[in-house]
Amino acid sequence: MRGEVDATASVNWYFKASDETEFTHLYNYEDEVGDIIDPRFYERLDWNGSKHTKDLQDGSIYILNVTFNDTGTYHCIFNRVFVYPNYEYQTTPNKTIFINVVPRLTRGIASILSEVMMYVSIIGLQFWLLVEMIYCYRKISAAGEEALRESAAEYLAIASESKDNCASVQVGE
């Protein structure tokens, strides 16, 4: 929505059942008021589009209590008018939606297998990470004591060399 340009919009929905040849006017939304026109959809449609504005950005509707008779083609015509100081510009985008109502949502075998494989891979990767952590911990702890002894000896050796070098530098000056 652009605040510097005033605009108004209206939305009209049309419906053609799968056994019909003509579209019938289903719903109209204009000036913040919705009107159900087709009696087949009385008390079953709900506006889900932009609210509290005349400049609509969303023209969607909900169909409640869907039945097999709702299978068909839905056509939405969005009429938007931009009001400029010297002229008006009108645009009318439209969308067509095909809806096929099925008795029950069914999951395909591919969907079920992919979900199972996802969980198997997650568990497998977590197990592998645990094994790697145990392996690294054991390796570090086994080498830890010896490494500490070696680093302490190296530290003392470096410190004594530095002390000797400092004394020889002073003599040389």
Side-chain angles (χ1 to χ4, degrees):
M1 182 177 351
R2 299 187 54 135
E4 66 269 11
V5 177
D6 289 329
T8 60
S10 65
V11 177
N12 287 293
W13 280 92
Y14 298 89
F15 172 65
K16 180 174 72 170
S18 55
D19 59 346
E20 295 176 355
T21 58
E22 300 275 327
F23 278 96
T24 58
H25 199 186
L26 168 65
Y27 188 78
N28 177 37
Y29 190 87
E30 189 171 6
D31 293 327
E32 300 182 41
V33 176
D35 186 26
I36 301 171
I37 298 166
D38 193 329
R40 296 176 286 187
F41 290 91
Y42 282 157
E43 298 182 8
R44 295 194 318 120
L45 285 182
D46 192 22
W47 178 252
N48 189 42
S50 302
K51 294 176 175 62
H52 311 298
T53 182
K54 290 186 179 184
D55 184 15
L56 304 173
Q57 302 293 308
D58 180 3
S60 57
I61 56 175
Y62 280 132
I63 301 174
L64 308 170
N65 301 323
V66 176
T67 66
F68 290 111
N69 294 332
D70 297 330
T71 297
T73 305
Y74 293 82
H75 190 69
C76 174
I77 298 176
F78 206 97
N79 186 18
R80 193 165 185 211
V81 179
F82 295 97
V83 180
Y84 294 98
N86 297 328
Y87 70 97
E88 292 183 355
Y89 176 76
Q90 182 174 350
T91 180
T92 55
N94 58 69
K95 298 289 179 188
T96 302
I97 301 167
F98 304 100
I99 294 181
N100 185 22
V101 179
V102 294
R104 185 174 178 196
L105 178 66
T106 56
R107 291 179 61 189
I109 190 72
S111 170
I112 295 168
L113 284 176
S114 65
E115 186 176 354
V116 168
M117 290 306 295
M118 178 188 67
Y119 288 120
V120 167
S121 64
I122 288 172
I123 292 169
L125 288 171
Q126 286 180 342
F127 180 72
W128 175 73
L129 180 63
L130 180 66
V131 168
E132 284 293 320
M133 288 173 52
I134 292 171
Y135 171 75
C136 290
Y137 175 77
R138 285 186 176 177
K139 192 169 185 176
I140 290 170
S141 67
E145 289 296 322
E146 187 175 324
L148 285 175
R149 278 188 238 117
E150 285 179 10
S151 77
E154 286 177 14
Y155 176 74
L156 292 175
I158 292 170
S160 63
E161 285 178 9
S162 298
K163 187 176 180 183
D164 292 341
N165 289 341
C166 289
S168 66
V169 169
Q170 290 175 353
V171 172
E173 288 180 351

